Amino acid sequence: MGKIKVKLFNYKKQNDYKWAMTIDLDRCNGCGACVVGCQAENNVAVVGEEQVEHGRNMQWLRIERYVEGTYPDVKVRFLPMMCQHCDIAPCESVCPVWATYQNPEGLNVQVYNRCIGTRFCGNNCPYSARFFNWYDSKWEKNQENQLNPDVSVREKGVMEKCTMCMQRIRRGKDLAKDEGRPVKDGDIQPACAQTCPTNAITFGDINDPHSKVHDLAHSGRAIRLFEEKGTHPAVLYLKGGSGNVY
Amino acid sequence: MDRRRFLKLGALTASTGMLGACGQTAQQIVPFVNPPDDGVNPVDGFWYATTCKECNAGCGVMIRTVDGRAKKLEGNPGHPISGGKACATGQAGVQKVYHPDRLKSAMLLSGERGSGVYKPISWTEAVTVLSDKLAGAKGSVFFLNNGSNDVTAGVANAIFKDSEKFVSASNHDAGAESLRQGGAALTGLPQTPYPDMANADFSLLLGADIFEWDRSPVFYSRSFGASRRDRPSSRGRMVYMGSRLSSTAVSCDKWIPAKPGQLGIIALSIASVVVDGVIEKGLARAIPRNTLGRYSDALRKYRPERVAEKVDVDAETLYKLAAPFVNEAPAIVIAGDGVTGYSNGVAGLDAVELLNMISYEIGKEKLTAKPRSTPESDQDLKDRMLEWFGPAPRKQTFAKLKSLTEKMAAGEYAVGLIHNTNPVFDTPNALKFKDALGKVAFVVSFANVMDETANQADLILPDNHWLEGWSAQIPDFVPGVVALNLGQPVVQKFQETKAAADSLLEAGAKAGLKIPAANGEEYIKKVISAFRSEMLEIPPALSDKEAWNFLLRRGGSWPSENDTELTATPASDKLWAFKGNLASDEPVFEGTNDHPYHLHIYQTVFAGRGSGVNHGWLQESPDPITTVMWQWWIEINTGEAGKLGINEGDLITVSSVHGSVTGPAYLYQGLRPDVISIPAGFGHTNYGEMANGRGANAMDLLGLSMDEASGGLAARSQMVSVKKAGGSVVLLRNGNPDGEDKGEAFQL
Amino acid sequence: MSTSSGHAHGSAEHKAAFNDLTDVEDIRDPEAVPEVVRSTYDDADIFRDEKEFNDHTLRPMFYTTKAYFIFVIALSLIMAQGVATFAVQTYYGLGQTNMHEPLFWGSYIATFVFWVGMSHSGTIVSSLLRLSHANWRRPILRAAEAMTAFSLLVAGLFPLIHVGRLWRVYYMFPLPNQRTLWPQFKSPLMWDMMAISVYMVGSMTFLYVGLIPDLAIARDRAIANNNWRQHYLKFLALGWRGSNREWMVYNKASLFLAVIILLIAPSVHTIVSWDFAMTMTPGWHTTIFGPYFVVGAIYSGVAGVVTLMIVLRWLFKLDDVIRILHIDALGKLLVVIAIIWTYFYVNEYIVTWYSHKPEEAHMWAWQGERFPHLLWIMLGGSVLNIFLLSWSRVRRNVYMMFWMSLLVNAGMYSERYLIVVPVLTRRDNPFMWTDYLPSGTELSIIAASFAYFIFLYAIFIKLFPIVTMADVKEGVVISGDMKIGRHSVRVQARE
Amino acid sequence: MNFWNSLSSTAKMVAGALAAIFVGLHIFLAIFYFGPFWFGTHTPTQPIAFSHKLHAGTNKIPCQYCHTLARRTEAAGIPSAEKCMNCHGYVKAESPLIVEIAKKFENKEPIVWQKVFDLPDHVWFNHKRHIKKGFKCQRCHGPIEKVDVVGRSNDFKMGFCIGCHRDNEAPTDCWTCHT
């Protein structure tokens, strides 16, 4: 086993990557393709009508919608909401077993097999982006054939949430490493970004000054949700358009 | 039993038992007998190009498969429609391969029709039964599908084309017929007009729910995103007019509720302002002054002041809407069900197309070279290719389906072939399709899950899922060019199914009919070899086999981006020659005086016409507007509901002269007070456990009003009444009713 | 050890060995002290002699009625169904509860906080009163300390009931392992676990040390009657003989423990409050939670003590030991605590109002809108008490005190519920606002927790002396007239 | 001993029970964690008695001659029957075991091997990375070229992975292996 170092996470090597995502609210049309794409990629279970009645629908990525105004001046806004991968994440410090932490690439990690389900993290997430497995995930007969082999199926009693498609990041880095180069912008796309028909979601390395996500994040339109909480999310929202319609 | 499970049980057993627990269960590993092509990564999986058949749009997609199982669908990045993107329904299509309700083998009716008692039979038997019936039918056969032009339709057509009695009809989205007919008067090109939204600064959407179930949600969504933010110079703006704030309307910058059935007049009204504005601004450089003058006179009666009251939009707004057409062209108008869903659909579309053409003439210099409709040379090619895939879509009208139904009811058909559609469920109740089907001597269904129509069939020959078999398609809606989509089997067959085309061809051969090819795959190859020389996309050096592989790898054939630059439409000539109908017909509504509300049936993003209702992912995805999951609802304007004393979840009965449905009310601010809006696709009775009994079928309310000019169903011209039914249910909604409206918390 | 017996039955050798002026044996000798005249307090009769006192106070332990068995069986049934429900919940998953996103904590945590609160008064009151030499404390100490221990035992179960993967709960313990993975020491839950473990050990020790002299008395009685209890009593009494040195050590130990407990107890509930206060959730994220929780805990605990006292007094006819005087004194204590608690409670609102945070203000409004009944129970039970209890006739009325103490605890339970639930139903993200009512599973497990607490108490009563006999006797001032020369002098002796 | 004698019989019983529980718990934990190391390995019977000793040891065929995917993909893979027949079409073609394989190959019938080394579902392991870094197969799989019948010589507990990752300064981020 070798010598044990007390240091828990070996951060000695500074990683170059800092994954971030921008979501252009001006582009989002609420079509829900990302929601289903995420479910397909990440083995997110369908909980069924009965559980939905209890308010336990599980969508790592959900589209929140807000109705403003009354007829005829009605405005509805969509807000895709997922784990914001905060730099200073409120969920991390409260987990008693260290099942969630900040990884060196700026992602907020949830380790399912470490989680004991105190659900403290979910309580402390201002975005309500964490989900709990109230029951074991069930798939209708035969449907487990579709499960993604790269992603583990979560057991009952653990928290889960958006991983920014860690399996895809890992594969992207792996392939880049084979070719002896750093990851190029656009090499890695989470399922939601890849499927989004309006290209509202952009994912990339915000440390790379030439990446698209870096450009968008510095475009002046970028905002963070609950900025006042000081959580510093890695998900940036790009604000909507101008007021001049005609 | 793994370690975790062991601890869970908490049994303190002896060490032997424990050892069994610690040693993880032995698993088996089955290598290939012959390894696949070396150099591929079996864990990452194989990516195959194919074509999505969840709707008729024809998106090219890539499927990731691992161990012969489909895992994930992504758009095919090179494809002109999908462009590497996908929609929710497409994503869910993958899991339908493994749907628990899939039929496992061919089945022959062994009880009464509609009893659902079938006995499984072998495929040899099934084909024999079918061939006997086909031989005995002597050509009195009909073929019905969902309007997609695919191999099965082509094969059916080819087998029976010599028979006079044979009819190939389709049951497709209401309104599509009108859309195809629309603009015919102007462009002379009877195809779906293609609005180039991606390059437009301003888009006016007239009842066009383009992100929901219009011609291609994915393509339109891409265009929308591109229009909004892809062009560095300006941000595309959109205004939606229509009676309901749909999820498309929500994405637009403004929603203007206009009176149902009057959107054509609005287009004319805007056109009148535009024409005069152009004259004033001296932009006659683009359009000869005399032409404009002619229009100016003809359009005078549609000046905003004159129509404002009629369309329920104030004149000032109409003037404002015209401004972008004059100042910031290219601006475009897109028409949708809000225009075509009425009896004056084609007239309205003509008006829309006129406005489009004027706008194009004004702004064409600023346009990047993207085509607006298929050039005539290509149209010819397209027509000839379409002949291989059944009747051209523009010939497949609702009127044709109606006349077929009448003939069926008269007992004129011996054999009916129904493929990929569910008319018993999703045609208007007034059509009485089910009764007519009962008069057909022998009904064959190719459904691969049981549905209402298959339940009325004598023989069920389950078709492959589209991931399991070959397919080819000429997508109706491709910007400006002819494309051929190819689909290939990307996964192993999961159930004992057979491609519908193969079943037909086998049975036809056995019955002594003239068959066009030995099987579906051969048929597609024949098409390709017939058109190879005209399809520039296959490098000429390739042999036939190489060309085939080339196309399969690509997922079909379509011109590359560079080719399309050449094909901008010379609209001007058409415009000068325009002598079309500038008078807008009044819509005819069906219903008596005690039916005060307009019925607005629409397809939700997830349920579609009913195909999504048996799918967990789609059912559990909250509807974008109502955020309802697993349930069906009836939308009513909040203020109107207040007047009627209706609260959210209260059961209300909506009735028309044709029938009534009862369901929970959803109170919505974004709906005209004189409109009741109901999602289609719910209320299945025989579509698997997940779908059955969920809501009621909105088609029960619908009559058969048609747009005579196009032969399309005027699905929006029904009038209904509403009353409380007593009782209420809790609507299962994502997000909390108290919290959902508090968007200001985010201060975006 | 088997040869030795208690001091009361000491042999001549023993007498010789402990021939000391302060030897209790001597003073208690009826010849040396002519009569026990009166106690320090004047409102009750005192037992004529120690035997009678012992008889009376040990009666609940040695004399059991049929009703008792029926009662215990009934409790066991409630517990059994709770255990069964819990087994079902563990097997199928926490979906059996009504919790859902984003309300991840529900009635279990509210009940957990309630029981931790209940555990507070016991030791705090006991040690505080011990240290301050408040004489009226004496008969109630044992009952209060036992309450601490048992409510902690019950409270400790709730985190286990609450977690999703019970079978992995050992991840919380800082065990060295092959992965060199440690718990997250930044987590308030981690502190909580540590604090409660320490408090559990501390309060158990406190209870046990206080028990030792009484165990010896009971042991002697058990041996005399050849009762089966002698076996464990012999072991647990640690051979107590009541020697001077033993008393000295005992007194030192209880003083020492009292001081330690007095330090631990507030910290424990402060840490429990940090489970909430350390989060970023509006309604929880407040600095006042530490003292607020501690005072609330003491409040509910003292009320719990009152309830228990009255029940014991009624069940075991202990009117002579637990007298109106004690209940009156506890009532006074309640008033003081209620005032402090009300101050904190109002303070919380004032701070919210002053800070002008709309989300917090909304939270409070929602609390009143959604849970008015709980709010009224809380205010009625806690704040209105101040006025009623200020009235000595109320304080001295056992029935009134009984119902009021129950009301206080109902109010305090509501308070816990109001802290946990409304906040989570109105999280930061308005799209995820929700509502919650406990499910049958939750209710049955909570009911079982109450049954478990009562069960533990009922068993305790039968196994251990419930009245702090030694302490009571210590407080009894023996006075009488003693002839010194010709003068008869009034003397007081204290045991 | 004096103290022990001074205890009552009940006390002795209680003390004995406590001691028994204490010891029992430790035995349980010890068996639980180290059982696999003490009580042998998972050594399933394979459908064809393939000898690694003969192939990799005596004949010195490199591991990756058969397990070709190891250097290219996450899984090492089991060679296809075709691969076996590449050599055994000529080499020892008459041996009864080879005949068995040949028969299956003719019938296009796969050989169902029993998995020896297995990781839990929540672990993601990449052979390619480790092979490319230059680790010998034996480092994890044990001296496989020396045994006829392969058994599980390593239980792949997390400590094993983590220890090696630390020593080689490989990432120890949880998401390196878990998702």
Side-chain angles (χ1 to χ4, degrees), chain B residues 385-425:
Chain B
M385 283 184 81
L386 275 172
E387 276 170 27
W388 287 77
F389 296 101
R394 63 175 178 278
K395 293 176 185 160
Q396 300 287 56
T397 61
F398 183 77
K400 193 176 178 187
L401 177 65
K402 196 179 159 201
S403 79
L404 170 69
T405 316
E406 281 156 10
K407 283 190 207 161
M408 280 159 63
E412 285 185 27
Y413 284 103
V415 175
L417 305 170
I418 298 175
H419 176 238
N420 205 5
T421 186
N422 188 3
V424 172
F425 173 75

Side-chain angles (χ1 to χ4, degrees), chain C residues 51 54-55 58 62 216-226:
Chain C
K51 186 169 182 309
N54 285 356
D55 279 346
L58 286 176
F62 287 100
I217 300 172
R219 172 196 63 196
D220 296 345
R221 181 158 295 248
I223 289 171
N225 300 345
N226 200 18

Side-chain angles (χ1 to χ4, degrees), chain A residues 29-33 36 78, chain B residues 54-55 87-90 96 173 209-215 217 244-248 337 425 600-615 617-635 666 668 677-684 694 696 698-699 716:
Chain A
N29 64 0
C31 69
V36 180
F78 294 123
Chain B
E54 287 297 316
C55 73
C87 69
T89 314
K96 284 193 171 175
D173 299 357
D209 295 333
I210 51 177
F211 305 146
E212 286 157 287
W213 276 80
D214 207 294
R215 287 150 284 182
R244 176 177 178 264
L245 183 64
S246 63
S247 80
T248 306
D337 284 0
F425 173 75
H600 180 113
I601 297 178
Y602 69 99
Q603 300 181 27
T604 68
V605 178
F606 300 114
R609 300 181 78 194
S611 57
V613 182
N614 70 346
H615 197 287
W617 285 347
L618 297 179
Q619 278 285 287
E620 207 160 289
S621 298
D623 178 73
I625 294 301
T626 60
T627 73
V628 173
M629 292 167 283
W630 292 102
Q631 274 180 348
W632 178 71
W633 64 94
I634 297 171
E635 283 169 33
Y666 174 78
Y668 188 30
S677 162
I678 305 181
F682 289 82
H684 280 280
R694 231 172 260 295
M699 291 292 163
R716 298 268 165 90

Side-chain angles (χ1 to χ4, degrees), chain A residues 42-245:
Chain A
N42 290 304
N43 302 340
V44 180
V46 171
V47 296
E49 190 178 5
E50 200 187 322
Q51 291 304 302
V52 167
E53 249 170 71
H54 281 90
R56 294 182 186 141
N57 48 317
M58 198 179 275
Q59 267 129 11
W60 285 6
L61 166 56
R62 66 170 178 268
I63 297 177
E64 300 184 348
R65 80 101 175 73
Y66 297 93
V67 180
E68 286 157 28
T70 51
Y71 179 86
D73 296 315
V74 194
K75 192 99 186 90
V76 178
R77 286 192 310 207
F78 294 123
L79 184 74
M81 178 70 88
M82 76 276 268
C83 171
Q84 304 282 307
H85 293 273
C86 311
D87 280 358
I88 305 168
C91 55
E92 284 165 5
S93 59
V94 296
C95 174
V97 294
W98 224 315
T100 178
Y101 69 94
Q102 187 80 9
N103 94 345
E105 294 173 6
L107 296 181
N108 182 250
V109 173
Q110 176 70 24
V111 189
Y112 311 123
N113 41 316
R114 176 76 181 170
C115 177
I116 59 170
T118 63
R119 310 195 283 293
F120 205 168
C121 52
N123 263 356
N124 209 16
C125 173
Y127 308 96
S128 299
R130 290 177 153 266
F131 298 90
F132 186 69
N133 284 276
W134 302 98
Y135 288 114
D136 268 333
S137 310
K138 277 198 291 282
W139 274 268
E140 293 270 342
K141 190 182 70 181
N142 298 339
Q143 292 197 342
E144 67 276 4
N145 281 297
Q146 185 271 332
L147 293 181
N148 185 354
D150 295 345
V151 181
S152 52
V153 170
R154 279 77 59 185
E155 180 185 31
K156 69 165 179 268
V158 302
M159 297 295 293
E160 61 180 71
K161 63 165 192 72
C162 160
T163 63
M164 287 227 184
C165 288
M166 186 53 205
Q167 66 282 8
R168 291 182 176 215
I169 297 176
R170 196 154 60 190
R171 205 178 288 284
K173 285 199 298 189
D174 196 45
L175 294 177
K177 213 168 183 179
D178 284 350
E179 293 169 22
R181 58 170 172 88
V183 174
K184 283 201 299 259
D185 191 34
D187 269 7
I188 301 169
Q189 274 199 310
C192 53
Q194 183 162 7
T195 204
C196 177
T198 60
N199 269 322
I201 305 176
T202 312
F203 176 84
D205 175 14
I206 204 166
N207 276 357
D208 172 8
H210 306 298
S211 70
K212 207 175 160 202
V213 78
H214 181 273
D215 285 355
L216 289 171
H218 294 82
S219 66
R221 290 168 61 210
I223 50 157
R224 286 166 159 152
L225 293 185
F226 297 131
E227 189 104 52
E228 75 279 8
K229 300 247 173 201
T231 51
H232 294 270
V235 177
L236 295 141
Y237 289 83
L238 304 179
K239 265 192 291 195
S242 61
N244 177 21
V245 175

Side-chain angles (χ1 to χ4, degrees), chain C residues 26 41 85 92 105 199 214 220-221 339 474 477:
Chain C
D26 292 342
Y41 302 110
T85 337
Y92 288 107
W105 289 1
Y199 189 43
D214 294 356
D220 296 345
R221 181 158 295 248
I339 289 170
E474 190 187 25
V477 177

Side-chain angles (χ1 to χ4, degrees), chain B residues 31-107:
Chain B
F32 289 101
V33 177
N34 300 97
D37 190 16
D38 227 348
V40 286
N41 182 343
V43 178
D44 184 17
F46 304 91
W47 288 89
Y48 292 106
T50 187
T51 303
C52 175
K53 304 283 271 181
E54 287 297 316
C55 73
N56 285 346
C59 291
V61 293
M62 310 285 289
I63 307 285
R64 179 189 178 203
T65 66
V66 178
D67 297 337
R69 298 278 183 256
K71 299 294 177 191
K72 184 78 170 62
L73 176 148
E74 303 290 358
N76 185 344
H79 197 269
I81 297 180
S82 73
K85 301 298 178 180
C87 69
T89 314
Q91 294 276 5
V94 171
Q95 218 185 34
K96 284 193 171 175
V97 184
Y98 309 109
H99 199 284
D101 292 342
R102 277 192 68 180
L103 299 176
K104 294 181 177 59
S105 66
M107 300 199 296

Side-chain angles (χ1 to χ4, degrees), chain B residues 650-716:
Chain B
D650 283 357
L651 292 176
I652 55 175
T653 301
V654 177
S655 21
S656 73
V657 287
H658 297 285
S660 68
V661 295
T662 301
Y666 174 78
L667 274 49
Y668 188 30
Q669 294 282 6
L671 192 67
R672 277 183 65 89
D674 57 351
V675 173
I676 297 292
S677 162
I678 305 181
F682 289 82
H684 280 280
T685 53
N686 210 325
Y687 195 45
E689 261 178 52
M690 221 181 282
N692 288 349
R694 231 172 260 295
N697 193 347
M699 291 292 163
D700 289 355
L701 296 171
L702 212 53
L704 296 176
S705 304
M706 291 204 292
D707 179 7
E708 299 300 336
S710 66
L713 178 69
R716 298 268 165 90

